[in-house]
Amino acid sequence: AMLARRFYKQMILAVVVAVAIQAPWIWRNYQVYGAILPTHTTAGGVDVLSGNYPGNHGEYRSDFELYKQIEADNPTPVGFDRAGKEWLKNFVLTEPGRVINVWVEKAVIFWGATKTGGFWFHYFNGAEQMVTVALSVLFYIFIFATAGGYVIGRRNSDVISRDSGRKITPVMKVYLAAAAGLFLISVITIISSRYRLTLLPVAALASAGFFYEVWPSVYGKRYAWMALGLLMIATAADAWLQWEKVGERIAKIWG
């Protein structure tokens, strides 16, 4: 409430900008689908169904029986979108334990280095694809590990001096909320490279903060290794859960 009173002008501006960005998409969707859709496409129902169906491990898939049944019963994009979201609502209400299990699993494998950011399928040979994958993986590991080191290290009073202050400012609150929101989008829907990519600019800022505030301290390297260890655990979990798919991608690279 205090934040709302103090920063109400900025909040109004943010809402106006958001509406201005979304309005053309809402109008376009209405023209195409004949329905008011606040999102850019009708993929939401597909994502929540495929991403949360137990056993899919957060990946987009359409080869399971429930997907085919809903698709047959709802042949239009809008119909599938609504049916998929209705399925998720019922899943959350009737089996909350299984939902939590699915979301915790996706929250871990989200950080796996087995999920690349570079689109490598269009390259002509395995060597070019391998270079793209390797650089993409290294880049993600570097950004996420140092960003994680910043988050972990900033909680330690020995790292951030009293002179610099450890108070969480309104700007920092907005930053953390944005990072959490971008992360939760994948946890609730699917874990895909394009969804993770939106978090990368936010993580890059935290990475810069790591080298500015945490790295110079005697604990800097420790926190970087801790964050890297968490990434490796996530990578191992993803590879173990989806070894068949990981092997399939490796086979495509080596031909």
Side-chain angles (χ1 to χ4, degrees):
M2 290 179 62
L3 273 176
R5 288 196 297 269
R6 185 175 178 182
F7 298 97
Y8 72 94
K9 292 182 180 179
Q10 292 89 332
M11 293 175 68
I12 292 173
L13 179 61
V15 171
V16 170
V17 171
V19 170
I21 293 173
Q22 288 295 101
W25 278 106
I26 295 174
W27 175 247
R28 175 262 180 193
N29 285 342
Y30 185 77
Q31 294 290 96
V32 173
Y33 302 113
I36 296 177
L37 300 170
T39 54
H40 290 186
T41 69
T42 57
V46 174
D47 286 350
V48 296
L49 172 63
S50 186
N52 290 290
Y53 191 72
N56 280 10
H57 308 301
E59 294 280 342
Y60 169 74
R61 287 179 58 182
S62 59
D63 58 350
F64 54 97
E65 200 58 41
L66 180 61
Y67 188 104
K68 295 175 182 178
Q69 184 62 52
I70 291 180
E71 188 176 39
D73 295 340
N74 304 273
T76 65
V78 173
F80 195 113
D81 178 66
R82 290 173 177 169
K85 291 174 181 176
E86 184 67 21
W87 172 85
L88 178 64
K89 184 182 76 173
N90 293 334
F91 186 36
V92 170
L93 293 176
T94 58
E95 300 185 74
R98 295 186 74 190
V99 173
I100 292 172
N101 183 66
V102 170
W103 287 354
V104 168
E105 178 186 291
K106 288 195 290 182
V108 173
I109 65 177
F110 176 92
W111 308 102
T114 39
K115 302 187 182 305
T116 63
F119 186 72
W120 50 271
F121 293 98
H122 65 288
Y123 290 114
F124 296 107
N125 60 63
E128 291 177 338
Q129 292 175 347
M130 180 57 72
V131 169
T132 303
V133 170
L135 291 177
S136 172
V137 169
L138 290 174
F139 184 65
Y140 265 81
I141 290 175
F142 174 79
I143 293 294
F144 285 153
T146 52
Y150 175 73
V151 173
I152 297 171
R154 206 172 193 280
R155 295 174 61 87
N156 190 307
S157 59
D158 294 329
V159 174
I160 309 301
S161 68
R162 296 184 182 277
D163 294 334
S164 66
R166 300 178 64 238
K167 181 181 178 181
I168 299 180
T169 63
V171 173
M172 180 62 74
K173 289 180 180 179
V174 172
Y175 169 85
L176 293 174
L182 292 170
F183 168 64
L184 289 174
I185 286 172
S186 282
V187 172
I188 295 173
T189 57
I190 60 175
I191 309 296
S192 70
S193 296
R194 67 181 184 275
Y195 284 24
R196 294 204 314 164
L197 193 62
T198 58
L199 183 62
L200 207 60
V202 181
L205 291 175
S207 175
F210 171 79
F211 288 105
Y212 179 74
E213 290 188 335
V214 180
W215 180 256
S217 73
V218 294
Y219 299 98
K221 295 181 179 61
R222 176 187 300 177
Y223 292 117
W225 281 111
M226 286 173 62
L228 182 60
L230 294 175
L231 292 183
M232 293 302 98
I233 291 173
T235 301
D238 188 34
W240 181 68
L241 289 169
Q242 304 189 89
W243 179 247
E244 182 179 346
K245 191 163 188 176
V246 172
E248 177 186 328
R249 289 174 175 173
I250 293 174
K252 283 183 179 180
I253 295 174
W254 290 112

